[in-house]
Structures are given as C-alpha cells and as structure tokens.
C-alpha cells in the first residue's frame, strides 16, 4: 500500500514537468506547437518509462524544467534567483543535472551580457542572483550536516562516492536502443534544432546536455529525462 501511495505521489512532479514544458513551449513554438511538444515528450519511450519511477531523478528533472520555463520569458533578478534556486536544489537530487544546468546558466549569462552589456551591472542583475540561488541549497545542507556533526559523511557520501564510480559501459548501450525505438522523435528533434538554430539558448543547451551524456561515468537512461523537452 505504501509503495502504491509513493508511486501515485510521483504523478505530482510528473504533471509539474508537463506544465513547465507547456509554458516553455509557448514562448518557443506557440500554443499550437505546445501540444505537439507535449505529445512528442510523452511518446518518447524513455520519458514514458522513467518519469513515473520512484527515483530522485524525477523531482530533479521537474526543478530543471521549471528553471528552463522561467528562462524563456522576461527575466528579472528575482527570476534569475529562482532559476539558480531550482538548479541548485535539482543538483542535490541528482548531480547529473550539472550538465544542462551549466549550459543553461552559461547561455543566460551570455545573452544578458550581449543584450544589456558586460559591465559590473551584469553581476547585480544576473550573475549575482543566479549564484545566490544556486549556492543557497548547498549552504543550507552544509550548515545542517555541520550542526548534526555529519559533514564529513555528507562530503564522502555525495561527492567523493559519486566521483569514485568506474566507467562500466558507454553511452551507446542505451542511446542506440533509444534511437531505434524513437526514430520519429529523434528525427523531429533534429529538424526542430535546425529550424530553431537562431535560438542560441536552445541550441547551446541541447549541445551541452548531449556532451554531458558522453562525459557521464554511468550514462543511464534516466539522464534522457533531462534531454526530453529540448
């Protein structure tokens, strides 16, 4: 019964993911394209199989999707803080989010500097709020584990342990089956990237996320959840 209840509870971040994708799609492809985007994401077999599982990747993906949704609309220092906060919290559900997270933050800084100038104001209006939001979850966790006298265990269990994994397989182990099972989705994704090639944020974010797939030590299927809306 408890397992069923937890599984049912995973529908909450799943629905929140779809809402974030819809909001982001409105800005990029319009309202009609939004529904096509949702259909394609839900028909992507990896997303359908993994997005309702009981695993920390699901809330991490949800937080990252909302950071992405906030980034495609008008941006203010407060929104930049929320984007950093979402990415910072997502990182502690799964460190895999660091790849698309770096891509998103890098593109936001580049676009803000290119359109509004690279002066000191860039720190106040963009870089500072992003950094503050991203660091806040880490600071809270460090203070909590220090208070509990478990800070070395936290560092060992989260950072050093994850870093110690050997590479057991290549990304092609899961990528090739995904390409074969989702030919239409991958093909339409390539077409969409070409059509949106002027959108530097979407293009750079997708390329950095794909590069992360080949840099990960253990590139399991769950990582494709981060790629699904792109």
């Amino acid at each position: 019964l408890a397992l069923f209840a937890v599984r049912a509870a995973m529908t909450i971040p799943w629905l929140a993911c779809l809402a974030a994708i819809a909001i982001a799609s409105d800005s990029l492809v319009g309202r009609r394209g939004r529904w096509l985007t949702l259909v394609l994401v839900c028909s992507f077999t990896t997303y359908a199989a993994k997005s309702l599982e009981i695993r920390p990747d699901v809330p991490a993906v949800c937080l990252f999707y909302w950071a992405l949704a906030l980034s495609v609309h008008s941006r203010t220092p407060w929104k930049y803080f929320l984007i950093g906060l979402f990415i910072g919290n997502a990182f502690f559900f799964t460190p895999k989010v660091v790849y698309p997270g770096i891509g998103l933050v890098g593109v936001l800084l580049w676009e803000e500097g290119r359109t509004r100038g690279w002066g000191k104001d860039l720190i106040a209006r963009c870089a500072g709020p992003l950094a503050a939001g991203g660091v806040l979850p880490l600071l809270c966790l460090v203070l909590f584990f220090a208070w509990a006298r478990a800070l070395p265990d936290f560092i060992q269990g989260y950072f050093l342990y994850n870093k110690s994994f050997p590479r057991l397989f290549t990304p092609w182990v899961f990528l090739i089956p995904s390409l074969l099972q989702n030919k239409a989705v991958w093909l339409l994704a390539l077409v969409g990237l070409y059509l949106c090639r002027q959108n530097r944020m979407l293009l750079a974010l997708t390329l950095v996320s794909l590069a992360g797939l080949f840099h990960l030590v253990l590139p399991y299927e769950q990582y494709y959840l981060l790629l699904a809306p792109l």
Side-chain angles (χ1 to χ4, degrees):
L1 183 61
L3 182 62
F4 176 79
V6 174
R7 175 78 71 175
M10 296 306 290
T11 59
I12 297 174
W14 182 77
L15 291 172
C17 285
L18 296 181
I21 293 171
I23 291 172
S25 300
D26 269 349
S27 177
L28 296 173
V29 294
R31 291 189 176 183
R32 292 183 179 179
R34 170 184 62 187
W35 297 110
L36 178 60
T37 302
L38 291 173
V39 169
L40 289 174
V41 168
C42 291
S43 63
F44 187 47
T45 57
T46 305
Y47 184 86
K50 300 296 180 182
S51 59
L52 282 172
E53 287 188 351
I54 303 171
R55 58 173 66 251
D57 300 78
V58 178
V61 166
C62 177
L63 290 166
F64 175 74
Y65 285 4
W66 276 101
L68 182 63
L70 287 174
S71 69
V72 299
H73 294 283
S74 59
R75 302 163 193 157
T76 63
W78 175 242
K79 280 192 176 181
Y80 282 126
F81 174 79
L82 288 178
I83 291 170
L85 188 66
F86 285 155
I87 295 174
N89 278 290
F91 177 76
F92 288 103
F93 281 101
T94 172
K96 292 190 287 288
V97 80
V98 71
Y99 299 102
I102 288 175
L104 180 58
V105 169
V107 170
L108 290 175
L109 289 173
W110 168 259
E111 287 195 345
E112 186 74 19
R114 182 177 59 86
T115 57
R116 300 178 62 183
W118 295 93
K120 294 181 180 179
D121 288 344
L122 180 64
I123 298 176
R125 68 176 183 264
C126 178
L130 276 172
V135 169
L136 183 60
L138 173 62
L139 180 61
C140 292
L141 277 173
V142 167
L143 291 175
F144 171 77
F145 282 102
W147 172 79
R149 299 181 180 179
L151 186 57
D153 295 326
F154 168 66
I155 295 173
Q156 174 65 36
Y158 189 84
F159 294 101
L160 300 181
Y161 178 71
N162 282 324
K163 190 179 178 181
S164 67
F165 278 108
R167 181 178 289 275
L168 300 177
F169 55 88
T170 70
W172 300 106
V173 171
F174 292 110
L175 183 56
I176 290 177
S178 179
L179 291 170
L180 294 175
Q181 295 168 8
N182 304 276
K183 298 181 186 71
V185 174
W186 282 102
L187 180 60
L188 289 171
L190 292 175
V191 173
L193 279 178
Y194 176 76
L195 295 176
C196 298
R197 62 189 182 277
Q198 300 301 323
N199 189 317
R200 292 183 177 89
M201 184 184 77
L202 182 62
L203 184 61
L205 181 56
T206 303
L207 293 176
V208 172
S209 300
L210 285 172
L213 176 65
F214 289 89
H215 185 263
L216 274 172
V217 176
L218 297 174
Y220 284 109
E221 290 177 287
Q222 294 87 317
Y223 183 75
Y224 298 155
L225 292 175
L226 294 166
L227 296 173
L230 302 178

